[in-house]
Amino acid sequence: MGMLDTLLRKETLSQRTLDIESDLYENLIRLSENEFDASVSKIINLCIYELAEKEQVTMREMKDLEKHSVIMRKSALETLNKMKKKYNIPIYVLINIAIKEGIEKLEQKIK
């Protein structure tokens, strides 16, 4: 993987309050503090981009939602809005799906 594949270009950021499952957020904190040189917000944004590359997204049940303040990239928000229209799934559900699948991929990488 080249350097340019891992660096993201600067863009407009905005702070958002998101409903995220508590266990997913705890895993994000663990990965951010112990495994990767990235904030929780950066990991969430990358999870959204990763989910957008999939052809199919399936709704899943949410439990133990908590509100968290996250810095979102403009392009990640635009990506979420496109997926919401395409799949007719609420944004908070898409975010949790993206985080869950992203954590699974990251944990496979560190094993």
Side-chain angles (χ1 to χ4, degrees):
M1 176 184 294
M3 177 175 54
L4 296 177
D5 294 330
T6 58
L7 295 174
L8 297 174
R9 297 200 51 101
K10 285 195 174 280
E11 68 176 74
T12 304
L13 304 174
S14 62
Q15 188 168 352
R16 303 292 171 148
T17 300
L18 304 177
D19 290 322
I20 301 173
E21 289 184 80
S22 60
D23 61 328
L24 294 179
Y25 197 79
E26 289 172 15
N27 280 324
L28 289 170
I29 291 170
R30 180 183 51 78
L31 290 170
S32 174
E33 291 177 352
N34 302 321
E35 301 292 342
F36 297 102
D37 186 19
S39 67
V40 168
S41 293
K42 288 179 181 177
I43 295 171
I44 291 172
N45 281 281
L46 293 173
C47 289
I48 292 167
Y49 297 138
E50 188 76 19
L51 182 67
E53 293 179 9
K54 289 183 68 173
E55 293 294 319
Q56 188 67 23
V57 176
T58 306
M59 185 108 161
R60 59 185 282 279
E61 186 178 326
M62 303 289 118
K63 60 181 178 182
D64 300 326
L65 293 174
E66 297 176 344
K67 295 195 179 301
H68 295 280
S69 182
V70 176
I71 304 297
M72 299 291 296
R73 295 171 57 86
K74 180 181 177 184
S75 60
L77 291 170
E78 290 169 351
T79 299
L80 282 170
N81 284 318
K82 287 178 189 173
M83 287 192 296
K84 177 185 175 187
K85 289 178 186 172
K86 180 177 180 179
Y87 300 114
N88 197 28
I89 297 175
I91 287 179
Y92 82 96
V93 175
L94 289 169
I95 290 169
N96 281 277
I97 292 169
I99 293 169
K100 181 171 178 23
E101 292 183 8
I103 287 172
E104 288 171 359
K105 283 187 177 184
L106 290 172
E107 288 182 339
Q108 287 176 357
K109 182 176 183 173
I110 59 177
K111 285 185 179 181

